[in-house]
Amino acid sequence: MSKEPIYPNLEILPAEKICLHEHHDPQRTLPLMERIRESQILYNPPLVIPVSESGDRFMVLDGANRVTSMKELGLSHILVQIVDPQSTGLQLHTWNHVLWKIDPEMLLDKIKAMDEISLAPIDQPGFDPQTLGILEIPEQPLLSLKTHSPRMRSEVITRLVEMYTSHARFDRTMIDQINYLDGYYQQLAGLIIYPPFQVAEVIQFCREEKLLPAGITRFAVSPRALRVNYPLEYLTRDVSLEEKRNLLRAFIQERLDKKGVRIYTETTVLYDE
């Protein structure tokens, strides 16, 4: 039986070995690039997981915008937290999307106009390889959104999200019943419940270079490294990768020696993110 690590596995990886499993958000990436450039600090390392048998390719679990920003800034090496695929502290959840500021009938018409998607009324939510999601419209029967090509599921979900983000507002939510949202949104149009993806399934998407939309998957990892506050200067030095890794080890050891590393085992709510 493998023993769970007490501390996060922090490492420096070549940027070209890190790939995304979801699209980054350009509206967030550009301001983030400016903040990183101005502060010259990486506050929270992205989470990655190995996706190749050789262990030389890693998928971003959380931090697509950070990784994209650092690559755009020209960083050849990135500080990350590597997560063991077998770790009991790794969980994958799915965000649902609440849609608002669009008429429900207009939303339905926009979805019906998409050739890759068919709508069918259902009594109970359920998922199969063809199901993209479940659509709840206020005071209407549940609708199943399906695709005729399961292997194109990630691409069709991406086009669906692109469609409604261009015509409506949406928020991520863990709520799965639209009646709980009544009164909280102006012109509430619907709630899309997305399927529960498996970690192996998302890894396969990455291997096939198929990206999910931003804001669908939510990876939870324990332990999680936050507020590392690592100087970018250590990542951009003109030295070898091994020397950069030695700098990282010295940096971590210094923090440990100064008792600057804390482990929180209880649920923590941060108010300065």
Side-chain angles (χ1 to χ4, degrees):
M1 179 181 292
S2 63
K3 187 176 181 180
E4 291 296 321
I6 297 176
Y7 292 106
N9 179 16
L10 295 176
E11 187 58 277
I12 295 175
L13 297 177
E16 71 270 12
K17 292 188 177 182
I18 303 173
C19 61
L20 306 182
H21 81 274
E22 63 179 357
H23 292 278
H24 73 280
D25 183 350
Q27 292 185 338
R28 294 181 61 191
T29 300
L30 290 176
L32 183 56
M33 284 177 60
E34 289 305 312
R35 287 200 298 272
I36 293 174
R37 183 185 286 115
E38 290 177 7
S39 69
Q40 289 296 298
I41 295 289
L42 173 59
Y43 296 102
N44 301 320
L47 298 173
V48 303
I49 192 171
V51 294
S52 63
E53 293 183 2
S54 61
D56 64 349
R57 190 164 176 77
F58 298 82
M59 180 185 81
V60 177
L61 302 178
D62 181 73
N65 294 315
R66 273 167 284 164
V67 169
T68 302
S69 296
M70 287 185 282
K71 287 185 176 182
E72 290 292 326
L73 288 171
L75 271 70
S76 57
H77 297 104
I78 298 176
L79 170 63
V80 299
Q81 177 182 339
I82 299 177
V83 179
D84 184 344
Q86 305 304 318
S87 171
T88 58
L90 171 62
Q91 297 179 355
L92 172 56
H93 306 281
T94 304
W95 288 110
N96 302 322
H97 286 180
V98 53
L99 312 181
W100 52 296
K101 280 202 170 180
I102 184 174
D103 182 76
E105 293 304 320
M106 178 180 293
L107 174 64
L108 282 173
D109 289 342
K110 295 292 184 183
I111 295 176
K112 290 175 182 177
M114 299 182 68
D115 295 335
E116 314 98 317
I117 298 177
S118 62
L119 289 168
I122 56 174
D123 295 324
Q124 296 292 332
F127 296 97
D128 57 36
Q130 290 183 296
T131 303
L132 304 171
I134 305 299
L135 175 62
E136 294 185 34
I137 298 288
E139 300 180 359
Q140 292 194 29
L142 292 176
L143 294 169
S144 177
L145 294 87
K146 290 185 175 289
T147 176
H148 300 296
S149 178
R151 286 194 58 81
M152 296 288 289
R153 187 161 64 154
S154 64
E155 292 93 332
V156 179
I157 289 177
T158 296
R159 287 194 282 273
L160 173 65
V161 174
E162 288 175 346
M163 181 279 292
Y164 60 68
T165 53
S166 65
H167 296 283
R169 298 285 301 275
F170 86 92
D171 282 338
R172 297 180 295 183
T173 180
M174 299 301 292
I175 292 174
D176 59 5
Q177 295 185 45
I178 196 168
N179 57 296
Y180 292 144
L181 299 169
D182 190 32
Y184 289 96
Y185 291 91
Q186 181 183 8
Q187 204 174 359
L188 177 63
L191 175 68
I192 296 184
I193 303 169
Y194 282 104
F197 294 103
Q198 301 299 314
V199 174
E201 186 178 11
V202 178
I203 288 176
Q204 188 58 36
F205 285 155
C206 180
R207 288 172 178 163
E208 296 174 1
E209 298 184 350
K210 297 177 179 179
L211 301 182
L212 287 167
I216 296 288
T217 55
R218 181 171 71 91
F219 286 91
V221 170
S222 179
R224 175 75 183 268
L226 295 173
R227 299 181 186 170
V228 176
N229 301 337
Y230 199 67
L232 253 62
E233 188 266 334
Y234 292 173
L235 296 173
T236 57
R237 282 188 185 181
D238 187 18
V239 296
S240 69
L241 176 57
E242 187 55 38
E243 288 176 284
K244 290 181 180 180
R245 287 174 171 170
N246 288 334
L247 283 170
L248 172 62
R249 286 190 280 268
F251 176 89
I252 295 172
Q253 189 60 53
E254 180 186 13
R255 295 300 179 275
L256 290 169
D257 292 342
K258 291 182 177 180
K259 299 183 185 283
V261 179
R262 291 188 180 183
I263 299 175
Y264 290 92
T265 58
E266 69 275 14
T267 300
T268 303
V269 180
L270 305 178
Y271 289 86
D272 64 347
E273 291 299 297

